[in-house]
């Protein structure tokens, strides 16, 4: 079947022997997009983390899933502690607002990839929903 999926990928725990109660995991990944460039030009970094979490978690909730946890990816040419801390504090705040745990992530320092002061963000979230409560499936909308 070549149908495209929903906003998040679905993983049926029952089908692989870990469920038994109809629980579906929903995974989503996203970034901040061009808003990141605006934040860098304005030198205002405290909100991009909140936005990152929101973009990922939104892809869970539109399928009926409750957010469980979040992981981030922060890449830069040169790690600046204050800037990185500000971004990560925003990510933590986004997780608090979304009621999901920030359980880890990755920080990459790649001098040849990014100009001074530039960075990129990515996020990954996982939520859960009972199969009977799953939204957005064929015939349910």
């Amino acid at each position: 079947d070549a149908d495209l999926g929903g906003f998040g990928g679905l993983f049926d725990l029952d089908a692989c022997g870990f469920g038994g109660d109809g629980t579906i995991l929903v995974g989503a990944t996203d970034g901040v997009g061009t808003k990141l460039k605006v934040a860098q030009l304005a030198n205002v970094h405290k909100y991009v983390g909140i936005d990152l979490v929101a973009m990922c978690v939104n892809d869970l909730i539109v399928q009926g899933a409750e957010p469980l946890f979040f992981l981030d990816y922060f890449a830069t040419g040169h790690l600046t502690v204050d800037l990185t801390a500000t971004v990560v504090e925003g990510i933590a705040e986004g997780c608090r607002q979304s009621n999901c745990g920030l359980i880890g992530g990755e920080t990459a320092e790649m001098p040849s990839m990014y100009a001074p002061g530039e960075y990129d963000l990515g996020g990954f979230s996982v939520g859960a929903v009972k199969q009977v409560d799953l939204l957005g499936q064929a015939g349910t909308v």
Side-chain angles (χ1 to χ4, degrees):
D1 189 355
D3 290 341
L4 293 176
F7 291 95
L10 305 179
F11 188 85
D12 185 343
L13 289 173
D14 290 350
C16 66
F18 287 103
D21 64 353
T23 299
I24 304 290
L25 293 180
V26 182
T29 189
D30 211 331
V32 178
T34 56
K35 293 171 280 190
L36 191 58
K37 193 65 167 177
V38 173
Q40 291 168 359
L41 289 171
N43 198 30
V44 177
H45 308 280
K46 64 189 273 184
Y47 302 109
V48 292
I50 296 171
D51 188 73
L52 177 66
V53 177
M55 296 303 97
C56 292
V57 166
N58 185 62
D59 289 349
L60 303 177
I61 62 176
V62 297
Q63 292 186 270
E66 179 179 335
L68 299 174
F69 60 85
F70 184 85
L71 296 106
D72 68 277
Y73 176 77
F74 180 92
T76 185
H78 174 72
L79 193 61
T80 306
V81 175
D82 290 343
L83 175 102
T84 306
T86 299
V87 172
V88 173
E89 287 168 6
I91 293 169
E93 176 59 25
C95 287
R96 280 190 289 276
Q97 291 179 17
S98 301
N99 199 31
C100 67
L102 175 58
I103 65 169
E106 173 68 18
T107 302
E109 190 172 34
M110 300 180 284
S112 63
M113 294 290 294
Y114 298 94
E118 290 187 353
Y119 60 92
D120 197 11
L121 290 174
F124 178 78
S125 57
V126 172
V129 60
K130 297 294 183 188
Q131 188 164 15
V132 297
D133 297 322
L134 191 60
L135 300 176
Q137 300 305 292
T140 64
V141 178

